[in-house]
Amino acid sequence: MLTRQRFESSADGDLYIHTRNLVAELATLFCGLAACAVPLMFLVDGFFGGRWLPARLAPLEILLVLLGLILLGVLGVAVLLLLDVRETLFLSHRLARGERRKRNLFGGRERVHAMFALRSATALEMRVYRTDARRVVQAWLLMADGTEQRLTPELMVLRPGQPRTDRWLQVLAGYLALPTPDRVIELPVIGALPAPPAVAAHRHVPTQTPEPATRRPAPSNRPSHADPAPPPMAADGNRLGWFARALTGLLGAFLSLVALAHAVELLGALSMGRLRVASSVHGSGHTYLWSEAPVGYLMHAGAGILGVMVVGLLGIACLYVAVAGRTRRPR
C-alpha cells in the first residue's frame, strides 16, 4: 500500500519499472526540512526579534554555535539531495542489458547502482531468505552460464500472492519472455542477506584440482616482450564529490572545535584543581576538588581527556577525508 509502481515502455522497446516508497520519501522530506528549519528559525528570530547569541558566550563558543547551525542546514540539504529514495529497473533487449538506477527525492541525481547482461536468460525465480530478524522475498534472474542477478528493488517488499507482486512479476516475465514463477524457493540463510547485486554470483562452481608442482614452468631471467601490458588501473570508486567533501569538512571542523572547546575548559579546570561535572539537563552538577576527592577528580578528568581525544580524532579524520577527497588510501 505504501509502495507505488509505474510501468513505462519506450518507443525503442525498452521497459522502465519505477518504484517509489512513500514512507522513505516522507521520512526523508521531514528530516531534511526539519534540519533546514532550525537555522532559518534562528535567523528569523535574530532579525525580527532581536534575540541573538548571549553576550556572555566566549568567541570560541560563538563560533561553535554558528558552525553547528551551518552544519545542520547543510545536513538537511544533503538529506534532500543525496539520499536515493526512488529506484528504476531498466530492461532493454535492444542494448541486451539491464540496469538498476536510483534517484533522489526530486527525481534528479540519477546513478546506476547495478548493470547486468540480459542475454541467455533462462528462468525467473522467487526466493525467500530467512534471517534472524526478518523474512526477505526476492526475485532473481538466472542465466545460462550459471550466473544470477537480483531484480527486486531495495525499496519494494515482495509478498507472494498479492496483486501488486503478481502484476510486477507478470510484466517482468512477459518482457523477458520467461514463465512467471509459480512457487517460492526456500533458502535457509541465517545471519546476513546474500551478496550485493552488483556482483553476479555463480550458482555452480566447478571443483578445481590443484595443479602438480612439476607442471609449473621454471621462472626465466630473460625479459619477455610477448607478455601483454598490464591492464589500466580502474577508477577509484572511493573518491567523493565536492558536496560530500564540503559536508565532511564542515563536520570535521565542528568536531574539532568541540574537542578544542572541551580541551580549553578541561585545562582550566586541571590547572585550578577544581572540576565541575554536569549531572542533569537542568544545569545542576557536582564539583570535584583535588584536595577533597582525588579519586573522583582523577576519574572524571580521565573520562574528559578520553572524550576530547576521541572527538578530536574523529574531527581530524573527517578533515583528512575532505582534503584528500577519498574515504581510504589508494593501494
Side-chain angles (χ1 to χ4, degrees), residues 75-98:
L75 282 176
V77 176
V79 167
L80 294 176
L81 298 182
L82 298 184
L83 286 186
D84 300 322
V85 294
R86 297 185 180 183
E87 190 169 349
T88 299
L89 179 62
F90 168 74
L91 301 176
S92 175
H93 287 304
R94 175 177 54 91
L95 302 176
R97 75 166 186 263

Side-chain angles (χ1 to χ4, degrees), residues 249-296:
L250 281 175
L251 181 60
F254 178 76
L255 293 177
S256 300
L257 281 180
V258 169
L260 180 60
H262 283 279
V264 171
E265 182 181 357
L266 189 60
L267 286 176
L270 292 177
S271 62
M272 295 184 299
R274 182 186 182 93
L275 182 63
R276 181 171 178 80
V277 180
S279 59
S280 67
V281 296
H282 301 289
S284 62
H286 185 76
T287 301
Y288 291 91
L289 299 177
W290 171 255
S291 59
E292 297 180 359
V295 177

Side-chain angles (χ1 to χ4, degrees), residues 36-59:
C36 294
V38 175
L40 293 178
M41 292 173 59
F42 176 80
L43 292 177
V44 170
D45 187 50
F47 278 112
F48 296 98
R51 291 184 292 269
W52 294 99
L53 295 175
R56 58 182 176 84
L57 292 180

Side-chain angles (χ1 to χ4, degrees), residues 1-288:
M1 182 180 297
L2 297 177
T3 304
R4 294 290 181 266
Q5 296 176 1
R6 182 168 59 89
F7 303 95
E8 177 185 354
S9 298
S10 64
D12 298 329
D14 303 333
L15 177 64
Y16 297 84
I17 303 180
H18 306 282
T19 304
R20 298 177 54 185
N21 192 311
L22 299 182
V23 176
E25 292 186 3
L26 290 177
T28 303
L29 184 63
F30 174 78
C31 294
L33 292 180
C36 294
V38 175
L40 293 178
M41 292 173 59
F42 176 80
L43 292 177
V44 170
D45 187 50
F47 278 112
F48 296 98
R51 291 184 292 269
W52 294 99
L53 295 175
R56 58 182 176 84
L57 292 180
L60 184 60
E61 295 176 345
I62 295 177
L63 182 61
L64 187 60
V65 171
L66 294 179
L67 189 59
L69 291 175
I70 295 175
L71 178 61
L72 194 59
V74 174
L75 282 176
V77 176
V79 167
L80 294 176
L81 298 182
L82 298 184
L83 286 186
D84 300 322
V85 294
R86 297 185 180 183
E87 190 169 349
T88 299
L89 179 62
F90 168 74
L91 301 176
S92 175
H93 287 304
R94 175 177 54 91
L95 302 176
R97 75 166 186 263
E99 295 176 356
R100 290 177 54 195
R101 304 173 179 176
K102 290 187 176 182
R103 297 178 296 167
N104 61 8
L105 181 64
F106 305 103
R109 194 182 168 270
E110 185 178 77
R111 62 186 183 92
V112 178
H113 182 64
M115 183 183 299
F116 53 93
L118 286 182
R119 59 180 180 272
S120 67
T122 58
L124 190 63
E125 282 188 359
M126 290 281 290
R127 301 177 181 178
V128 176
Y129 296 92
R130 297 185 180 274
T131 64
D132 297 335
R134 55 178 178 168
R135 179 176 179 266
V136 182
V137 182
Q138 296 177 348
W140 288 77
L141 181 64
L142 309 183
M143 306 298 180
D145 57 355
T147 60
E148 54 192 15
Q149 173 64 40
R150 183 168 69 90
L151 301 180
T152 311
E154 296 180 0
L155 303 174
M156 179 181 176
V157 179
L158 292 183
R159 291 185 172 88
Q162 288 192 355
R164 179 167 301 147
T165 301
D166 295 340
R167 167 67 174 166
W168 184 79
L169 289 174
Q170 289 173 3
V171 172
L172 199 60
Y175 184 82
L176 296 174
L178 296 174
T180 305
D182 53 356
R183 64 189 183 92
V184 179
I185 301 177
E186 297 279 347
L187 294 180
V189 177
I190 300 176
L193 293 178
V199 180
H202 288 271
R203 301 184 62 194
H204 303 288
V205 179
T207 304
Q208 298 181 357
T209 304
E211 189 176 343
T214 56
R215 294 185 181 181
R216 296 180 181 176
S220 176
N221 296 328
R222 295 178 300 174
S224 177
H225 300 283
D227 294 338
M233 295 182 62
D236 190 2
N238 298 314
R239 294 199 62 85
L240 302 177
W242 64 269
F243 193 87
R245 293 178 66 176
L247 180 61
T248 308
L250 281 175
L251 181 60
F254 178 76
L255 293 177
S256 300
L257 281 180
V258 169
L260 180 60
H262 283 279
V264 171
E265 182 181 357
L266 189 60
L267 286 176
L270 292 177
S271 62
M272 295 184 299
R274 182 186 182 93
L275 182 63
R276 181 171 178 80
V277 180
S279 59
S280 67
V281 296
H282 301 289
S284 62
H286 185 76
T287 301
Y288 291 91

